[in-house]
Amino acid sequence: MFAKDLPFNFGPKEFVGLPGLILEIEERGIKFYATKVNLSNKNYNIKLPEVNKSISKKEFLSQSPYR
């Protein structure tokens, strides 16, 4: 099941590409479904990583917009 009213072509796992947000899908008898959808007007600036630069998990989490 997907929602055309939510025009995002995303879904669980590798299931993407429909003209709306995938809210429920079944694969090999296992059902994946959304339990909550939060819509936000926030814009996130995502910086491309520097090539061959490693950072710690703590540093990575401190930079996450989802903290």
Side-chain angles (χ1 to χ4, degrees):
M1 175 174 72
F2 70 98
K4 288 183 183 178
D5 293 339
L6 299 172
F8 312 104
N9 62 351
F10 300 108
K13 296 181 64 177
E14 69 274 2
F15 301 105
V16 296
L18 292 175
L21 183 64
I22 300 171
L23 298 173
E24 182 178 308
I25 196 156
E26 188 171 332
E27 177 187 38
R28 298 185 203 143
I30 300 171
K31 191 175 280 192
F32 298 91
Y33 56 92
T35 58
K36 185 176 184 180
V37 176
N38 282 332
L39 300 177
S40 171
N41 290 331
K42 283 186 178 181
N43 289 321
Y44 294 101
N45 293 319
I46 300 173
K47 296 186 311 182
L48 291 174
E50 295 177 29
V51 176
N52 296 324
K53 180 184 178 200
S54 297
I55 63 172
S56 68
K57 181 178 180 181
K58 183 177 179 179
E59 185 180 359
F60 173 78
L61 292 174
S62 73
Q63 296 174 12
S64 172
Y66 303 107
R67 317 177 239 158

